Amino acid sequence: MPDNDLHDKTIAFLCATEGTEQIELTEPWKAVEQAGGTPRLVSTESGRLQAFNHLDKGDTFPVDTTVDVSDHTEFDGLLLPGGVANPDLLRTRPKAVAFARSFFDAGKPVAVICHGPWTLVEADVVRGRTMTSFPSIRTDLRNAGATWVDEEVKVCEGGPNVLVSSRGPGDLKAFCQAAVEAFKR
C-alpha cells in the first residue's frame, strides 16, 4: 500500500532540456509519486526534455512548465537531478538560477544529487551548508562556502531550509527516502 504522506504536495523537478541523468530523474519521480505527491517537470523551455544514461541518449520526457511562467509558490519543494550537462546548462540561465534560489528564500525543502549542486553554487545558496555531491565538484562547493562531506546522503538543516544531497546514482535509494522525508515537512 503506497504511503500518502505527500498527498497534498507538488514537487518541482528542475532540469535543462538536455543532459539530465535519467535515473536521477525517474527514481526520485517515482518516490514522490509512491508517497502520494505530484511531481512536475520544470525546464528552461517547453516541449520535451532529452535525458541521458551517462553519455548515451535516454528517453524523452514532457515538460510540464517553464521557469519563465512558474515560481516557487506553485510548489512545496524542489528536486535537482544531476548529469554533467544538465546543471551546467541550468547555471547559465538566470531564470533557472533564480527559480532554484527562490526555494531557499521561501524556506522550502530542496533535494539535489550528483552534479546538481552546480546550479545551487550559481544561485549562491550553499554558503554555510554541509552537503555532498559527485566528488569532482567538491572543490566548487568548498569554494562557494559549503562544507563538503563524502556521504551517501546528507541532510542539512543549518540554513533557511532543509537541504538533502547525495553523490550519485549509487546513492539513489537513500536519496529518495531522505528527499521524501524532507518534502513531508
Side-chain angles (χ1 to χ4, degrees):
M1 183 160 164
D3 178 2
N4 288 322
D5 287 339
L6 297 183
H7 76 278
D8 61 345
K9 307 279 186 175
T10 302
I11 308 303
F13 281 66
L14 178 60
C15 300
T17 55
E18 191 168 30
T20 299
E21 186 68 32
Q22 183 163 318
I23 197 167
E24 293 174 2
L25 169 63
T26 58
E27 289 301 305
W29 188 281
K30 284 190 275 187
V32 167
E33 285 182 327
Q34 288 171 352
T38 304
R40 295 196 66 218
L41 188 54
V42 181
S43 191
T44 54
E45 297 174 30
S46 59
R48 294 189 74 81
L49 171 152
Q50 174 65 64
F52 279 75
N53 298 310
H54 191 54
L55 299 175
D56 299 322
K57 282 187 176 182
D59 298 325
T60 63
F61 299 88
V63 171
D64 294 311
T65 189
T66 67
V67 293
D68 293 328
V69 298
S70 290
D71 65 36
H72 73 86
T73 62
E74 301 168 49
F75 304 99
D76 299 291
L78 172 66
L79 194 137
L80 293 153
V84 177
N86 173 47
D88 195 48
L89 291 169
L90 286 175
R91 66 184 178 163
T92 67
R93 302 294 292 268
K95 287 185 179 180
V97 172
F99 182 81
R101 184 184 310 113
S102 71
F103 284 81
F104 288 80
D105 293 342
K108 293 183 177 182
V110 173
V112 61
I113 189 166
C114 199
H115 290 79
W118 267 339
T119 305
L120 301 182
V121 166
E122 190 66 28
D124 194 24
V125 293
V126 301
R127 188 171 320 282
R129 304 306 293 266
T130 300
M131 57 192 307
T132 192
S133 67
F134 196 76
S136 67
I137 68 166
R138 69 178 165 255
T139 301
D140 299 316
L141 285 166
R142 287 177 178 151
N143 288 344
T147 299
W148 188 86
V149 294
D150 185 12
E151 297 177 14
E152 181 179 51
V153 65
K154 180 64 184 173
V155 178
C156 178
E157 298 184 44
N161 64 341
V162 176
L163 176 59
V164 176
S165 57
S166 279
R167 299 171 297 197
D171 299 331
L172 275 165
K173 184 176 180 182
F175 175 71
C176 290
Q177 183 178 6
V180 167
E181 284 299 315
F183 295 145
K184 287 179 185 179
R185 299 176 184 204

